[in-house]
Structure formats: structure tokens, C-alpha cells
Amino acid sequence: MKCQATELPIVAQRSVSMATKTAVPSFDADFISLEVATDPYPVYTELRGLGPVVWLESLGMYAVTRDVLAREVLSNPAIYSSAKGVSTNPGLNEQSGGAMLITTDGAQHRELREVFRKPLRPKALQEITGRLTEEATSLVDRLTGSGTFEGVNDFACHLPLTIVSRLIGVPEEGREHLLDWGTAFIEMAGGDNDRGRAAAPRAMEMIQWATENITPERVSKGGWAHQLIEAHEAGGLDQEWIVRLTIDYIIAGLDTTISATSSLLYQLGRHPEQWNLLRENPGLIQSAIGEAVRLESPLQAMSRVTTRDVELGGVELAEGSRVVVIFGCVNRDEERWERADQFDITRPDATEHLAFGLGEHACVGQGLAKHEIQTLLKAMIPTVSEIEVDEPAWHPLNGARVLSSLPTRFN
Ligand code: HEM
């Protein structure tokens, strides 16, 4: 990779009339290349070595590489705004600003988040515990001792696709495409390159399908989409947000959880001593989930735009600068984490990573994701004495970390 310290005008994204300059290390190679998407960690190590804030020449934006600065950005939405889009794809940012929960700010964001969150509150999650447990137990019973199965498709996808997609309550026809559409959107959001552009038509197909099918006649009564319709009828949600928030459930709720579940399975298979520890002490379940998403953060990078000139980690950023927080990089920051590349479920602070974000936009669905994964682990603990995994394959997605295949055996 070709990197160098560059004199960047602080007005990089505004006008050149302000002549002040500040030295910002620059990463000049393609940040969303196939090579980086396949294995981003060598590049992340290089970025952290360059500095806490690095100019990504190929994307025309700044990257935050350290935990402490990521926290500063994520907890100051008035300065680091989401309203102009949060992706690393400029075209998508133009279209999506203000059109998704995550691309709104302030009072509008808080109101929408309250409506979106309704089926994800602890009490609502408790109500689905029985269904999740039943489904997880029969899945684990079926897979245990049955030889090699596909850890991603047969195991990690199961609860999101059988239970969560039904809870969203979208019509049966189309449901089989939800995961593919969600993945395509994430791929498109990750960058304007060949892979991002190839994914765009499938992401657009989802929007078209949702616009035609998320209607009072087509969605399941009592489902999450139906609850959005009810919120609209009660005067608590503008019409256009019914489809938008339903799409948010689909994009944000499936792939991320599948990724976290399969990464955890992979780590537990590679580290039998950690699986034994977890079986002996199920109180470590949340730490195990935390470690899996810290090491392989399902969402690798999200961005913000500065609302005013601001100094970040010694670098002057002009108003209007785009700053990308690389979750996958900051979660392996060796200044924050001892033995940052190691999977260790006994870390006392294993849940204090940034893989679910932080602050006002912190993941609103994390309770559901953890509930699903915890239910699977609870079903496995009494039954599965050994998890065997073979070589995994990663899906080289822009801006996300997702396994595509993990041959697995439960003994
Ligand atoms: C392991 C699973 C998951 C991971 C790792 C994850 C990760 C994240 C991260 C990092 C953010 C913050 C992004 C930012 O600040 O730019 C976020 C926000 C969000 N997540 Fe998740 N997520 C997961 C599961 C879910 C689920 C299951 C849902 C919904 C059913 C969901 C819905 C959302 C939404 C709507 C936001 C935006 C919140 C806001 O702007 O207020 N996520 N997620």
C-alpha cells in the first residue's frame, strides 16, 4: 500500500480560499478494493500506524482509526451530523440524507427512533422469547451429531429468516429476497465501485417492492410494518416513513445479526477452550457476543459530515468534511485493547466495544440481535460438547464483514 503524510488544505471539501494547511497522513491506495474487502486488517493496522485521523484519498474523506476519537465523533451528533448520509458512497449519501432513520438528526431522529424502537424494547423482546427458544432448540437438536452443515446458511441465518422476517410482517411473496436485498443495499452503501454498482439494481428492486407491498392490505396484522401503519393512522408518523422504516428493519436487522452469529460460531470453533469456558460459565454469553462483534464488526465503517470547522485528534476539519468511523479498525485499536486481535471471552470489558455504535445513533436493534444469539447459545450449551469448523469463506462486501460459508459440525 502506498501511504504518505500529505499537506491537505483544511478546506478540502469547501473552498480553497482559506489557505491554512495542516499535515494529515494520507492513505492513497483504494480503500474499497477487493483486497481490502476480503481482508481489511492489514490495512487497518497500517491506518492506525499513520495516525488517529487519516485522509482516504480514494474516497475523499477522513478516517478515524482510534477508539477514543471514534467515541468523540459518535457522541457529538451536533458537530458530526448524519443528515447528509452515513455511507461511503457519495451518490447514495445524496439520495439517502434525511430518508432513513440513521440519516436524520435532532428532534426528527428522536421521534422516528421512538416509533421504530417499539417492537425492539425489552418487554417486546421478552414476548418473543418462547418462539425463539423453540426454534433455536429444534435447530440445534437437528444439527447436533448430523455431520457437516453450513454454519452460515443452516445455522446463523435461521432465526433472522424464519422469525425476524415474519415479525417484520412483510408479505410472503418477496420474503425470500429480503436477505439478498439487504446485502445488496449494504454493498451499495459501502462504496461506488464495480461491486457497489452491480448491487445497486437489487437494492432498488427492494425499494420498488416495498413501495408496492407495504400497504395495510398486504402486511401481516400486528407485525412491525403494520405497527408503523398504525402509528401513521394515529398521527404519529408521516406516510413516507412507513416504507422507509420497514426498509430499515430489513437492511439493518438481518445481515448484521447473521454476520455476528456466524463470526461467533467460527471463533468458538477455533477456540475450543473458550467454548468449554462458556459452557461452564453461561454468564459469559454477553462477553462472547461482544468479542465476536469486536473482532469481526458486522458494519465496518459509517460516516458523518461536520457541521462546522472543528479540530479532531489534532487535525483541523473544515465544515462539510466527511469523516468515516472505521468500526472494524477502532475495535482492534491496540491503544484501547490488550491483545486486540485475540478472541477472549473473559475480558472484563468485552462488551465495551463500538461495534453497535455509540450515542444517539447507537444500534437500536442490538437487544434483538443479542437476544437471538443468546438463545442459540443457550440451546447449544447443554447439547453441543464440541464445535468443529473448517476453513471459512468471507463475502468481500464493501464496508461490512460477512462470512459466506463456514463448514461446521456439532458433536
Ligand atoms: C449484531 C447485529 C448488529 C450490529 C453489529 C449492528 C450495528 C450497528 C451500528 C454500528 C450502528 C450505528 C451506525 C452509526 O452510528 O452510523 C447501528 C445502528 C442501527 N441499527 Fe444496528 N446492528 C445490528 C443489529 C440490528 C438489528 C437487529 C436492527 C433492527 C431490527 C438494527 C437496526 C439499526 C438501526 C435502525 C440503526 C440506526 C439507529 C439510529 O440512527 O438511531 N440493527 N447498528
Side-chain angles (χ1 to χ4, degrees):
M1 296 293 166
K2 200 168 137 269
C3 307
Q4 62 195 46
T6 307
E7 288 287 303
L8 276 179
I10 64 165
V11 288
Q13 307 204 5
R14 216 168 35 153
S15 87
V16 274
S17 58
M18 290 168 64
T20 323
K21 290 190 175 189
T22 186
V24 185
S26 175
F27 179 81
D28 295 340
D30 180 4
F31 182 68
I32 54 170
S33 67
L34 185 62
E35 188 190 346
V36 178
T38 308
D39 179 12
Y41 300 112
V43 164
Y44 292 167
T45 304
E46 194 176 341
L47 289 178
R48 286 192 302 271
L50 283 171
V53 178
V54 175
W55 176 252
L56 298 179
E57 179 63 29
S58 67
L59 295 181
M61 55 187 80
Y62 295 94
V64 171
T65 70
R66 296 280 178 189
D67 174 276
V68 66
L69 287 192
R71 287 175 195 272
E72 188 172 329
V73 169
L74 297 172
S75 35
N76 283 297
I79 301 175
Y80 299 97
S81 163
S82 299
K84 290 192 173 158
V86 293
S87 83
T88 40
N89 181 333
L92 179 67
N93 284 335
E94 255 175 50
Q95 286 173 33
S96 66
M100 301 175 74
L101 174 60
I102 201 165
T103 62
T104 56
D105 276 336
Q108 184 196 21
H109 169 254
R110 283 189 290 278
E111 282 164 24
L112 289 168
R113 186 170 161 113
E114 230 9 67
V115 177
F116 186 89
R117 204 178 143 247
K118 206 171 152 219
L120 302 168
R121 289 187 190 130
K123 191 168 169 296
L125 295 181
Q126 250 176 15
E127 285 165 16
I128 60 168
T129 302
R131 277 170 78 183
L132 287 179
T133 306
E134 211 175 290
E135 204 57 55
T137 310
S138 82
L139 174 71
V140 170
D141 286 350
R142 205 165 57 241
L143 296 176
T144 305
S146 69
T148 303
F149 60 89
E150 184 40 72
V152 181
N153 280 341
D154 300 339
F155 181 75
C157 284
H158 191 76
L159 294 183
L161 291 190
T162 54
I163 305 241
V164 177
S165 69
R166 286 210 175 86
L167 287 169
I168 300 174
V170 297
E172 197 71 49
E173 321 81 76
R175 206 178 279 165
E176 72 278 15
H177 299 300
L178 293 187
L179 181 58
D180 181 47
W181 285 336
T183 310
F185 192 93
I186 291 173
E187 175 82 302
M188 178 177 76
D192 181 18
N193 60 5
D194 287 353
R195 282 170 290 121
R197 281 189 290 276
R202 282 179 293 132
M204 292 308 140
E205 201 178 297
M206 168 177 63
I207 294 169
Q208 173 79 25
W209 172 86
T211 309
E212 286 164 11
N213 287 279
I214 308 304
T215 62
E217 303 73 40
R218 308 268 301 136
V219 300
S220 322
K221 296 274 171 295
W224 300 351
H226 187 247
Q227 292 182 28
L228 297 175
I229 293 171
E230 285 178 333
H232 166 64
E233 286 167 356
L237 187 69
D238 288 344
Q239 169 101 45
E240 70 266 26
W241 283 98
I242 298 172
V243 168
R244 289 174 177 179
L245 293 185
T246 304
I247 290 175
D248 279 342
Y249 285 129
I250 298 168
I251 298 168
L254 302 177
D255 245 307
T256 48
T257 311
I258 293 167
S259 156
T261 309
S262 34
S263 291
L264 178 56
L265 189 63
Y266 175 46
Q267 294 298 341
L268 291 173
R270 288 175 75 197
H271 302 285
E273 78 294 347
Q274 303 272 319
W275 175 234
N276 289 336
L277 261 176
L278 190 60
R279 292 190 78 204
E280 284 158 20
N281 186 357
L284 291 173
I285 283 180
Q286 290 309 325
S287 299
I289 298 171
E291 271 294 88
V293 295
R294 181 186 69 78
L295 266 190
E296 302 289 359
S297 303
L299 291 183
Q300 289 274 303
M302 302 289 266
S303 71
R304 301 290 191 265
V305 171
T306 54
T307 56
R308 60 170 169 82
D309 295 355
V310 63
E311 183 257 311
L312 179 69
V315 174
E316 298 291 331
L317 306 179
E319 178 186 341
S321 300
R322 191 167 283 280
V323 180
V324 56
V325 174
I326 312 176
F327 295 111
C329 179
V330 303
N331 280 333
R332 290 187 183 219
D333 175 1
E334 45 291 281
E335 285 175 6
R336 167 64 185 82
W337 300 97
E338 271 177 36
R339 298 168 288 107
D341 293 334
Q342 274 180 36
F343 177 73
D344 177 2
I345 66 171
T346 66
R347 286 180 198 275
D349 51 358
T351 56
E352 289 169 26
H353 54 78
L354 290 173
F356 290 114
L358 185 77
E360 289 191 12
H361 289 280
C363 181
V364 63
Q366 60 182 292
L368 172 64
K370 290 173 191 164
H371 198 41
E372 289 174 68
I373 303 172
Q374 166 174 303
T375 310
L376 288 168
L377 289 173
K378 282 187 174 167
M380 287 166 64
I381 282 173
T383 320
V384 180
S385 57
E386 190 186 26
I387 303 168
E388 278 183 52
V389 290
D390 291 340
E391 263 318 290
W394 293 92
H395 185 159
L397 272 179
N398 292 327
R401 189 77 177 142
V402 177
L403 276 164
S404 57
S405 163
L406 182 67
T408 309
R409 277 170 302 282
F410 284 172
N411 303 318

